[in-house]
Amino acid sequence: MSEATPEALRRRPVVKRAAKHSPVSTVQAKEGEASASTAAPSRATGLDRFVSGRDTPSPTPGEPLAVTIVLPSWTQLVREPRWIWLVCLTLAALGTRLYNISLPASVAWDETHFGKFASHYINGTFFFDVHPPLAKMLIGFAGFTTGYDGGFEFKEPGQLYGDTNYVGMRCFCAVLGALLVPLAFLTVEAASQSLTAAVLAGFLVLCETSLLTVSRFILLDPPLLFFISLAVLGLFTFRNRHDRPFSASWWGCMVFTGACLGCAISCKFVGLFVVLLVGFNTMEDLWTMLGDRSVTLAKWTQHLLARVVGLVIVPMTVYLALFAVHF
């Protein structure tokens, strides 16, 4: 290493004083301090975006970083008009369907048949009926869980129930009938993307007296309509995911629709009409894709096979599985 010359030694203090008092160095130092002071808040703000939603002061060096997790505000959620309408319509539906549900305190209409079938399930008595078993099994399960022992005979309309615990089965049907209102709301919203149309649809179903009436008795219609409504909602939700084919949500909506189709057919054979609705929509989708030049034949075949699995095999499997449970 070369030795320092006297001239270099004389210049060293000068360089040190210049670095200490240079305006340029002072400005750079201030800019460095400013950037350092703002770096910590910006990092805290970036973390806070996922945690608390507010600016967090930078911690003192050496102190642990305290993170406060703030959950979503329910007040902000329920203030949205969509949720307000949905909750109000649902509560109104429950109120109208469950009001004085114990009246009349006698066998009404086809409760003679379907109440008797529920008793057979509870007592373990084998029987066979023209209708598929799902709705009757659900009514029997509702009666069993609410204290009905299956001892009532259900001989004829007008027979007094007396001390029989029949209200649980009526409440089960009434709740399913009430859920038709929010399902109508959600279905129309998914189909039209319009809150006004969704509210109108929910209000019309709420005020439909025929739906209100059949929902208040031990009948197969409330479970049937419930699964039909679920299938239609699943159909429109599935169609809204056409831009995400073969994604998890795409598959989930299609399989959900297929399962609801199977449940609808397993309540009553008139559930085949919603199968026709879904089938025609599926054929339209496949026909449209067949004319789309951006969709290759291999991709179109994949779509066809996926729909066969989700909308044909899944409903058939559900239908046969429920008959296996019945027998």
Side-chain angles (χ1 to χ4, degrees):
M1 180 181 295
S2 60
E3 297 182 359
T5 62
E7 183 178 0
L9 292 175
R10 286 196 301 271
R11 289 179 180 176
R12 283 180 182 176
V14 176
V15 173
K16 186 175 181 180
R17 285 195 299 272
K20 182 177 180 180
H21 300 288
S22 173
V24 176
S25 301
T26 305
V27 172
Q28 291 177 348
K30 290 182 178 179
E31 289 177 354
E33 293 174 359
S35 62
S37 62
T38 56
S42 64
R43 287 194 300 270
T45 304
L47 175 64
D48 208 51
R49 217 172 26 165
F50 302 97
V51 180
S52 66
R54 299 187 301 273
D55 290 339
T56 303
S58 57
T60 305
E63 291 185 359
L65 177 62
V67 177
T68 303
I69 299 178
V70 179
L71 298 176
S73 174
W74 289 105
T75 58
Q76 294 177 356
L77 181 62
V78 299
R79 284 175 185 171
E80 295 182 9
R82 176 178 182 269
W83 291 106
I84 293 175
W85 281 111
L86 184 59
V87 170
C88 290
L89 288 171
T90 303
L91 292 178
L94 289 171
T96 54
R97 271 66 177 173
L98 292 172
Y99 177 73
N100 279 341
I101 193 66
S102 61
L103 300 178
S106 59
V107 177
W109 197 15
D110 277 355
E111 285 185 339
T112 306
H113 307 295
F114 306 125
K116 185 184 300 182
F117 296 148
S119 298
H120 289 334
Y121 279 117
I122 293 173
N123 295 325
T125 304
F126 177 79
F127 71 98
F128 188 79
D129 181 49
V130 295
H131 299 297
L134 177 58
K136 292 172 289 187
M137 288 193 294
L138 291 175
I139 293 173
F141 179 75
F144 176 76
T145 55
T146 54
Y148 174 59
D149 59 1
F152 193 73
E153 296 181 350
F154 289 95
K155 287 184 178 181
E156 58 184 1
Q159 180 185 4
L160 295 176
Y161 279 116
D163 297 332
T164 303
N165 193 352
Y166 65 96
V167 176
M169 292 183 285
R170 281 190 179 177
C171 286
F172 170 74
C173 294
V175 170
L176 292 184
L179 291 177
L180 299 179
V181 174
L183 287 176
F185 178 98
L186 295 173
T187 301
V188 174
E189 184 185 43
S192 65
Q193 306 299 320
S194 171
L195 178 61
T196 303
V199 172
L200 179 61
F203 182 75
L204 291 176
V205 174
L206 172 67
C207 298
E208 175 54 54
T209 54
S210 62
L211 293 177
L212 189 152
T213 301
V214 298
S215 299
R216 292 175 55 83
F217 299 102
I218 305 171
L219 303 174
L220 304 186
D221 300 273
L224 170 68
L225 294 172
F226 173 73
F227 288 115
I228 288 177
S229 300
L230 278 181
V232 177
L233 174 60
L235 170 64
F236 283 106
T237 307
F238 172 68
R239 287 175 64 91
N240 288 341
R241 282 161 174 74
H242 68 277
D243 56 338
R244 288 170 280 173
F246 305 105
S247 64
S249 61
W250 186 87
W251 275 106
C253 291
M254 182 173 60
V255 173
F256 173 79
T257 303
C260 292
L261 291 178
C263 291
I265 304 172
S266 300
C267 291
K268 269 188 173 183
F269 286 120
V270 294
L272 286 170
F273 287 105
V274 73
V275 175
L276 292 177
L277 172 65
V278 175
F280 285 134
N281 276 272
T282 302
M283 288 189 291
E284 179 191 3
D285 286 343
L286 292 173
W287 181 258
T288 302
M289 283 189 290
L290 191 61
D292 188 353
R293 294 186 176 182
S294 63
V295 179
T296 63
L297 182 59
K299 183 65 69 175
W300 185 87
T301 304
Q302 292 176 4
H303 277 276
L304 173 62
L305 294 177
R307 284 162 173 78
V308 169
V309 172
L311 302 177
V312 177
I313 296 178
V314 169
M316 292 178 60
T317 303
V318 171
Y319 179 78
L320 295 176
L322 290 172
F323 263 102
V325 174
H326 168 77
F327 286 112

